[in-house]
Amino acid sequence: MIKEKRIKKIQEYVLEHQSASLDELVKVFDVSKNTIRRDVQELVDRGELKKVYGGVSSIHKKLESFQDRSVRNQEQKELIAKKAASFVEDGDFIFIDSGTTTIEMFEYIKEKHLTIFTNNIDLIVCAIPYENLNVISIGGMLERKTSSFVNPRNMDLLKDYNIRKAFMASTGISLLNGVTNASPLESELKKTIVSRSSEVYLLVDHDKFDKYGLMTYCSLDEIDYLVTDKIPNEMYQEYAKNHAIQLVLAD
Protein backbone atom coordinates (compact mmCIF):
# COMPACT_ATOMS: atom_id res chain seq x y z
CA MET A 1 0.00 0.00 0.00
CA ILE A 2 1.42 3.38 -1.00
CA LYS A 3 2.07 5.85 1.78
CA GLU A 4 -0.65 8.41 1.02
CA LYS A 5 -3.30 5.73 0.62
CA ARG A 6 -2.23 4.10 3.90
CA ILE A 7 -2.35 7.44 5.73
CA LYS A 8 -5.86 8.02 4.41
CA LYS A 9 -6.92 4.55 5.59
CA ILE A 10 -5.38 5.15 9.02
CA GLN A 11 -7.32 8.37 9.37
CA GLU A 12 -10.57 6.70 8.30
CA TYR A 13 -9.97 3.89 10.79
CA VAL A 14 -9.36 6.27 13.69
CA LEU A 15 -12.36 8.39 12.70
CA GLU A 16 -14.61 5.32 12.65
CA HIS A 17 -13.35 4.01 16.00
CA GLN A 18 -12.83 7.46 17.61
CA SER A 19 -9.37 6.39 18.84
CA ALA A 20 -6.71 3.72 18.30
CA SER A 21 -3.47 2.62 19.94
CA LEU A 22 -0.24 2.43 17.96
CA ASP A 23 -0.08 -1.33 18.56
CA GLU A 24 -3.60 -1.69 17.17
CA LEU A 25 -2.71 0.25 14.03
CA VAL A 26 0.44 -1.88 13.54
CA LYS A 27 -1.70 -5.03 13.52
CA VAL A 28 -4.47 -3.62 11.32
CA PHE A 29 -2.15 -2.19 8.64
CA ASP A 30 0.61 -4.82 8.96
CA VAL A 31 3.51 -2.37 9.00
CA SER A 32 6.25 -1.60 11.49
CA LYS A 33 5.71 0.57 14.54
CA ASN A 34 8.16 3.14 13.18
CA THR A 35 6.10 3.42 10.00
CA ILE A 36 2.91 3.88 12.00
CA ARG A 37 4.59 6.52 14.16
CA ARG A 38 5.65 8.48 11.06
CA ASP A 39 2.22 8.19 9.43
CA VAL A 40 0.42 9.19 12.61
CA GLN A 41 2.77 12.13 13.16
CA GLU A 42 2.00 13.37 9.65
CA LEU A 43 -1.74 13.27 10.41
CA VAL A 44 -1.15 15.05 13.72
CA ASP A 45 0.95 17.73 11.97
CA ARG A 46 -1.86 18.26 9.45
CA GLY A 47 -4.30 18.74 12.30
CA GLU A 48 -6.33 15.67 11.30
CA LEU A 49 -5.70 13.63 14.48
CA LYS A 50 -4.55 14.36 18.01
CA LYS A 51 -2.15 12.38 20.17
CA VAL A 52 -3.40 10.64 23.27
CA TYR A 53 -1.59 8.31 25.67
CA GLY A 54 -0.45 5.27 23.67
CA GLY A 55 -2.10 6.29 20.43
CA VAL A 56 -4.28 8.84 18.63
CA SER A 57 -7.89 10.00 18.55
CA SER A 58 -10.12 11.79 16.07
CA ILE A 59 -10.77 15.52 16.27
CA HIS A 60 -13.73 15.78 13.92
CA LYS A 61 -16.10 18.60 14.71
CA LYS A 62 -19.32 17.75 16.49
CA LEU A 63 -22.45 19.42 15.23
CA GLU A 64 -23.45 22.36 17.39
CA SER A 65 -26.94 23.76 17.49
CA PHE A 66 -28.04 26.05 14.66
CA GLN A 67 -28.37 28.93 17.13
CA ASP A 68 -24.82 28.51 18.47
CA ARG A 69 -23.32 28.38 14.97
CA SER A 70 -25.36 31.30 13.65
CA VAL A 71 -23.65 33.86 15.90
CA ARG A 72 -20.06 32.84 15.06
CA ASN A 73 -18.27 34.96 12.42
CA GLN A 74 -21.58 36.60 11.57
CA GLU A 75 -20.07 39.53 9.68
CA GLN A 76 -17.95 37.22 7.52
CA LYS A 77 -20.94 34.98 6.81
CA GLU A 78 -22.97 37.93 5.58
CA LEU A 79 -20.16 39.04 3.27
CA ILE A 80 -19.76 35.52 1.88
CA ALA A 81 -23.51 35.17 1.34
CA LYS A 82 -23.71 38.54 -0.41
CA LYS A 83 -20.87 37.58 -2.75
CA ALA A 84 -22.41 34.20 -3.50
CA ALA A 85 -25.78 35.82 -4.19
CA SER A 86 -24.17 37.98 -6.88
CA PHE A 87 -23.91 34.82 -9.02
CA VAL A 88 -27.69 34.28 -8.92
CA GLU A 89 -29.57 35.52 -12.00
CA ASP A 90 -33.25 35.96 -12.78
CA GLY A 91 -34.77 32.70 -13.97
CA ASP A 92 -32.19 30.47 -12.25
CA PHE A 93 -33.11 27.13 -10.74
CA ILE A 94 -30.90 26.92 -7.66
CA PHE A 95 -30.39 24.81 -4.56
CA ILE A 96 -29.70 26.52 -1.23
CA ASP A 97 -28.28 24.24 1.43
CA SER A 98 -29.09 24.35 5.13
CA GLY A 99 -26.50 26.36 7.00
CA THR A 100 -25.84 29.56 8.91
CA THR A 101 -24.05 31.13 5.94
CA THR A 102 -26.36 30.03 3.12
CA ILE A 103 -29.45 31.40 4.87
CA GLU A 104 -27.87 34.87 4.71
CA MET A 105 -28.21 34.75 0.90
CA PHE A 106 -31.95 35.33 1.15
CA GLU A 107 -31.74 39.09 1.67
CA TYR A 108 -29.82 39.47 -1.60
CA ILE A 109 -31.97 37.24 -3.83
CA LYS A 110 -35.51 37.79 -2.50
CA GLU A 111 -36.49 40.24 -5.26
CA LYS A 112 -35.37 37.98 -8.13
CA HIS A 113 -37.58 35.55 -10.03
CA LEU A 114 -36.21 32.16 -9.05
CA THR A 115 -37.02 28.53 -8.49
CA ILE A 116 -35.34 27.50 -5.25
CA PHE A 117 -34.95 23.90 -4.21
CA THR A 118 -34.02 23.66 -0.53
CA ASN A 119 -34.20 21.69 2.69
CA ASN A 120 -33.55 24.90 4.67
CA ILE A 121 -36.61 25.48 6.87
CA ASP A 122 -35.73 29.10 7.68
CA LEU A 123 -35.42 29.95 4.00
CA ILE A 124 -38.78 28.32 3.24
CA VAL A 125 -40.44 30.46 5.92
CA CYS A 126 -38.72 33.63 4.71
CA ALA A 127 -39.86 33.00 1.13
CA ILE A 128 -43.58 32.71 1.93
CA PRO A 129 -44.44 36.42 1.25
CA TYR A 130 -42.51 36.50 -2.06
CA GLU A 131 -44.61 35.25 -4.96
CA ASN A 132 -41.64 35.69 -7.30
CA LEU A 133 -39.91 32.80 -5.51
CA ASN A 134 -41.01 29.31 -6.47
CA VAL A 135 -39.88 27.05 -3.63
CA ILE A 136 -39.53 23.27 -3.79
CA SER A 137 -38.68 21.22 -0.71
CA ILE A 138 -37.93 17.53 -0.32
CA GLY A 139 -39.77 17.49 3.01
CA GLY A 140 -39.26 14.63 5.42
CA MET A 141 -37.93 14.48 8.96
CA LEU A 142 -36.99 17.57 10.96
CA GLU A 143 -33.27 17.88 11.79
CA ARG A 144 -33.31 20.48 14.56
CA LYS A 145 -29.55 20.96 14.78
CA THR A 146 -29.44 22.20 11.18
CA SER A 147 -32.96 23.63 10.97
CA SER A 148 -33.62 21.47 7.92
CA PHE A 149 -35.69 18.65 6.48
CA VAL A 150 -34.04 15.33 5.68
CA ASN A 151 -35.62 12.48 3.75
CA PRO A 152 -33.11 9.67 3.11
CA ARG A 153 -35.81 7.47 1.55
CA ASN A 154 -36.81 9.93 -1.16
CA MET A 155 -33.58 10.63 -3.05
CA ASP A 156 -35.19 9.43 -6.30
CA LEU A 157 -37.19 12.67 -6.36
CA LEU A 158 -34.00 14.61 -7.11
CA LYS A 159 -33.23 12.62 -10.26
CA ASP A 160 -35.93 14.56 -12.11
CA TYR A 161 -34.34 17.97 -11.42
CA ASN A 162 -31.50 19.63 -13.31
CA ILE A 163 -30.18 22.21 -10.87
CA ARG A 164 -28.36 25.17 -12.41
CA LYS A 165 -26.44 26.34 -9.32
CA ALA A 166 -26.05 24.75 -5.89
CA PHE A 167 -24.95 26.84 -2.92
CA MET A 168 -23.51 24.44 -0.38
CA ALA A 169 -22.50 24.65 3.28
CA SER A 170 -19.90 22.61 5.16
CA THR A 171 -18.79 21.81 8.69
CA GLY A 172 -15.20 21.90 7.49
CA ILE A 173 -12.98 21.27 4.47
CA SER A 174 -9.52 19.81 4.01
CA LEU A 175 -7.39 18.61 1.13
CA LEU A 176 -7.40 15.09 2.53
CA ASN A 177 -11.07 14.75 3.51
CA GLY A 178 -12.74 17.07 1.02
CA VAL A 179 -16.04 18.75 1.89
CA THR A 180 -17.53 17.39 5.09
CA ASN A 181 -20.67 17.49 7.12
CA ALA A 182 -21.42 16.60 10.74
CA SER A 183 -25.00 15.41 10.15
CA PRO A 184 -25.24 11.87 8.71
CA LEU A 185 -28.92 12.46 7.92
CA GLU A 186 -28.05 15.28 5.50
CA SER A 187 -25.03 13.77 3.79
CA GLU A 188 -26.90 11.66 1.22
CA LEU A 189 -28.94 14.68 0.13
CA LYS A 190 -25.81 16.80 -0.26
CA LYS A 191 -24.08 14.11 -2.31
CA THR A 192 -27.04 13.88 -4.65
CA ILE A 193 -27.36 17.65 -5.04
CA VAL A 194 -23.69 18.02 -5.98
CA SER A 195 -24.03 15.31 -8.62
CA ARG A 196 -27.17 16.91 -10.12
CA SER A 197 -25.91 20.51 -10.29
CA SER A 198 -24.23 22.24 -13.24
CA GLU A 199 -22.32 24.61 -10.95
CA VAL A 200 -21.44 24.02 -7.31
CA TYR A 201 -20.64 26.94 -5.01
CA LEU A 202 -19.16 26.20 -1.58
CA LEU A 203 -19.64 28.92 1.05
CA VAL A 204 -17.16 28.63 3.93
CA ASP A 205 -15.48 31.15 6.22
CA HIS A 206 -11.78 30.92 7.06
CA ASP A 207 -12.42 28.93 10.25
CA LYS A 208 -13.64 25.95 8.20
CA PHE A 209 -10.30 25.25 6.48
CA ASP A 210 -8.29 22.24 7.69
CA LYS A 211 -11.29 21.07 9.71
CA TYR A 212 -13.56 18.14 9.02
CA GLY A 213 -16.86 16.69 10.13
CA LEU A 214 -18.09 13.14 10.49
CA MET A 215 -18.85 12.48 6.83
CA THR A 216 -17.44 13.57 3.47
CA TYR A 217 -20.19 14.42 1.00
CA CYS A 218 -17.98 15.40 -1.93
CA SER A 219 -14.34 15.88 -2.83
CA LEU A 220 -12.93 19.37 -3.28
CA ASP A 221 -12.47 18.85 -7.02
CA GLU A 222 -16.27 18.59 -7.40
CA ILE A 223 -16.57 22.26 -6.40
CA ASP A 224 -16.63 24.94 -9.11
CA TYR A 225 -16.54 28.06 -6.91
CA LEU A 226 -15.09 28.37 -3.41
CA VAL A 227 -16.50 31.51 -1.77
CA THR A 228 -14.72 32.57 1.42
CA ASP A 229 -13.65 35.63 3.41
CA LYS A 230 -9.86 35.12 3.34
CA ILE A 231 -7.49 33.74 0.74
CA PRO A 232 -6.52 30.22 1.89
CA ASN A 233 -2.93 29.05 2.14
CA GLU A 234 -0.77 28.19 -0.85
CA MET A 235 -1.68 24.50 -0.81
CA TYR A 236 -5.36 25.33 -1.32
CA GLN A 237 -4.53 27.94 -3.93
CA GLU A 238 -2.44 25.43 -5.87
CA TYR A 239 -5.15 22.78 -5.57
CA ALA A 240 -7.78 25.21 -6.82
CA LYS A 241 -5.60 26.16 -9.80
CA ASN A 242 -4.93 22.52 -10.71
CA HIS A 243 -8.60 21.55 -10.48
CA ALA A 244 -10.20 24.59 -12.15
CA ILE A 245 -11.82 25.81 -8.92
CA GLN A 246 -12.47 29.54 -8.88
CA LEU A 247 -11.53 31.13 -5.55
CA VAL A 248 -13.97 33.96 -4.81
CA LEU A 249 -13.08 36.40 -2.03
CA ALA A 250 -15.94 38.15 -0.25
CA ASP A 251 -15.31 41.84 0.27
Side-chain angles (χ1 to χ4, degrees):
M1 186 182 298
I2 62 174
K3 177 183 177 183
E4 195 58 37
K5 184 177 180 181
R6 185 178 62 248
I7 289 176
K8 174 68 172 174
K9 292 291 184 182
I10 290 171
Q11 183 189 11
E12 290 174 350
Y13 182 88
V14 176
L15 184 59
E16 180 182 354
H17 295 83
Q18 300 299 307
S19 65
S21 69
L22 295 182
D23 289 337
E24 179 183 352
L25 294 174
V26 166
K27 290 179 181 179
V28 171
F29 294 96
D30 192 25
V31 293
S32 71
K33 200 163 189 177
N34 284 337
T35 297
I36 286 295
R37 283 197 182 100
R38 287 194 296 268
D39 290 349
V40 163
Q41 187 59 51
E42 186 163 337
L43 287 165
V44 170
D45 291 342
R46 293 179 187 178
E48 307 289 358
L49 300 178
K50 65 179 178 181
K51 284 185 175 180
V52 295
Y53 182 75
V56 285
S57 69
S58 65
I59 55 172
H60 70 265
K61 297 181 70 175
K62 294 181 180 179
L63 186 60
E64 302 171 282
S65 71
F66 188 89
Q67 289 75 20
D68 288 343
R69 289 181 289 120
S70 65
V71 298
R72 186 179 300 113
N73 295 336
Q74 184 59 31
E75 183 179 352
Q76 291 91 334
K77 290 175 181 179
E78 291 177 4
L79 290 172
I80 291 168
K82 182 177 181 180
K83 192 68 174 183
S86 69
F87 291 91
V88 179
E89 301 173 304
D90 268 328
D92 271 345
F93 179 21
I94 65 175
F95 174 81
I96 296 183
D97 200 2
S98 64
T100 56
T101 302
T102 48
I103 185 60
E104 298 294 337
M105 290 180 63
F106 183 79
E107 283 300 310
Y108 307 104
I109 62 173
K110 63 185 181 182
E111 302 298 337
K112 297 181 184 290
H113 289 79
L114 303 169
T115 298
I116 303 174
F117 186 78
T118 188
N119 64 330
N120 190 322
I121 294 172
D122 297 297
L123 190 142
I124 294 169
V125 172
C126 288
I128 290 173
Y130 295 86
E131 295 184 3
N132 51 300
L133 299 177
N134 181 29
V135 180
I136 304 170
S137 173
I138 194 172
M141 184 169 65
L142 171 64
E143 171 65 288
R144 287 181 174 83
K145 287 186 177 180
T146 57
S147 190
S148 66
F149 286 125
V150 290
N151 194 344
R153 296 184 178 181
N154 201 22
M155 290 299 108
D156 286 343
L157 170 68
L158 301 180
K159 295 178 181 178
D160 297 329
Y161 293 110
N162 298 308
I163 300 169
R164 178 77 179 90
K165 299 165 184 173
F167 297 89
M168 307 300 298
S170 175
T171 304
I173 68 171
S174 71
L175 296 177
L176 188 62
N177 292 294
V179 185
T180 65
N181 178 49
S183 171
L185 293 173
E186 286 191 332
S187 290
E188 196 61 36
L189 171 63
K190 293 175 186 287
K191 287 179 183 178
T192 305
I193 291 295
V194 169
S195 69
R196 296 298 303 164
S197 301
S198 299
E199 296 178 358
V200 179
Y201 297 74
L202 181 63
L203 284 61
V204 287
D205 62 62
H206 65 276
D207 278 345
K208 301 290 181 66
F209 286 86
D210 292 324
K211 306 282 179 62
Y212 62 92
L214 182 63
M215 303 185 74
T216 296
Y217 71 82
C218 74
S219 60
L220 272 179
D221 60 11
E222 294 179 80
I223 300 300
D224 299 296
Y225 296 83
L226 178 55
V227 189
T228 187
D229 59 314
K230 292 182 180 179
I231 290 292
N233 66 41
E234 291 183 1
M235 287 191 297
Y236 285 95
Q237 292 180 50
E238 187 67 20
Y239 185 94
K241 181 180 178 181
N242 292 337
H243 293 86
I245 301 170
Q246 184 171 334
L247 288 174
V248 180
L249 189 63
D251 48 24

